[in-house]
Amino acid sequence: MLWRKLLVPLTSLLLLLTASAGAGAAAASTGSPAGASAEAAAADYGAPGPYATAVEVGAVTTLYYPRDIATSDRRHPVIVWGNGTFAFPVVYRDLLLHWASQGFIVAAANTPQSNLGISMRAGIDLLTRRNADPGSPFHDRVDLEHIGASGHSQGGAAAIVVGADPRIDTILPIQPGPLADIDDVHVPALLLAGQKDSIVFPFLVKAFYNDADHIPAIYGELRGADHLTVVGDPGPFAAPTTAWFKAHLMGDQTARAQFFGAGCGICTDSGTWSDVRRNGLANQ
């Protein structure tokens, strides 16, 4: 089909144009504002979390993680990330650091061609080795029982592909490309679209949602968002993605209420969302 032929080159061009905005910043560390508390961060999922962060750039995987993980009093859940076509983790640095500040370890695949999910799975393998290594700052600090998969555009499709891995507990594809089969996924899914996305049109994301009748699935369309809204400052994507992962990987019941139950927060937030749909398994 014509739109499939146009999708990859258009996405590649647009993401390449934005990549330079974050270039050279991947080795930086960041932290929460002075006086920020863990309680406040938990209540406002779009605000920086309580953890100062660090970045480690490897050959296959870039890690974004709580800087003092070696002395942490807990194990930290994992999010594996896939980039859009011809993009690298630095393009999404702000979002990935935001998740790290909220207590997640993000294993971002360095590949600009992530659709097969091979490098995303390699991130899980890397953290499994680090967790078992007594000489590693990650030793016994990685929660390998709680792993989510996310990504943007081609990487969103990769998150669906990786969702078939039995180690994955939930997926959160952001404006996913078409080359994936959600029938192979057996974990809850939050599928995000942009109302004004002219590369991965909302109806393409809805197609995944409509096909996901075998799992708890939610479709969320962010009002006014285009295909590059998540690049750089993640803006409206920061809060709902953090809440979803906190609900599924940390057991945060306040975050869970944003998506499930009669009081579903995103279901009534028409200022942020132009369309929200929950299938029968997510509406219980």
Side-chain angles (χ1 to χ4, degrees):
M1 296 174 65
L2 178 60
W3 65 265
R4 288 193 180 188
K5 293 179 181 178
L6 292 175
L7 178 63
V8 170
L10 284 173
T11 305
S12 304
L13 175 62
L14 289 170
L15 288 175
L16 277 172
L17 290 174
T18 60
S20 60
S29 297
T30 187
S32 303
S37 67
E39 293 79 8
D44 183 357
Y45 301 108
Y51 295 93
T53 59
V55 180
E56 177 188 315
V57 181
V60 177
T61 305
T62 296
L63 297 176
Y64 298 80
Y65 58 96
R67 186 172 62 199
D68 297 328
I69 195 166
T71 57
S72 177
D73 59 358
R74 58 173 296 184
R75 291 184 176 89
H76 295 266
V78 175
I79 302 170
V80 292
W81 172 264
N83 309 301
T85 304
F86 288 167
F88 295 91
V90 67
V91 173
Y92 307 98
R93 175 180 179 273
D94 288 358
L95 178 61
L96 307 185
L97 284 173
H98 179 77
W99 290 342
S101 80
Q102 293 281 352
F104 298 98
I105 303 168
V106 182
N110 289 340
T111 177
Q113 300 288 342
S114 59
N115 210 137
L116 296 178
I118 296 170
S119 295
M120 292 172 70
R121 291 186 178 97
I124 303 175
D125 297 337
L126 170 66
L127 287 172
T128 300
R129 294 192 298 272
R130 294 284 186 88
N131 188 62
D133 180 2
S136 168
F138 294 90
H139 177 57
D140 204 28
R141 298 276 70 87
V142 185
D143 184 358
L144 294 167
E145 297 301 314
H146 295 94
I147 303 175
S150 187
H152 175 237
S153 197
Q154 184 182 153
I160 296 173
V161 172
V162 173
D165 190 307
R167 296 173 293 182
I168 298 295
D169 296 289
T170 186
I171 63 170
L172 199 166
I174 300 172
Q175 298 159 303
L179 301 180
D181 187 354
I182 205 163
D183 287 340
D184 295 332
V185 176
H186 297 285
V187 294
L190 174 61
L191 296 145
L192 295 184
Q195 182 189 23
K196 296 185 177 181
D197 192 340
S198 58
I199 295 177
V200 177
F201 296 98
F203 77 84
L204 300 174
V205 185
K206 286 177 188 172
F208 281 123
Y209 166 77
N210 292 333
D211 200 29
D213 54 2
H214 60 296
I215 57 175
I218 297 176
Y219 169 82
E221 185 179 290
L222 282 155
R223 185 174 297 281
D226 62 26
H227 198 65
L228 298 181
T229 298
V230 72
V231 172
D233 180 352
F237 286 93
T241 57
T242 301
W244 181 263
F245 282 130
K246 283 220 165 191
H248 287 86
L249 304 181
M250 293 183 176
D252 185 326
Q253 294 305 303
T254 300
R256 184 175 180 81
Q258 292 295 307
F259 308 98
F260 299 99
C264 165
I266 69 169
C267 298
T268 56
D269 182 5
S270 60
T272 302
W273 304 91
S274 51
D275 191 1
V276 173
R277 306 180 185 197
R278 300 188 294 174
N279 70 9
L281 294 175
N283 203 20
Q284 298 175 357

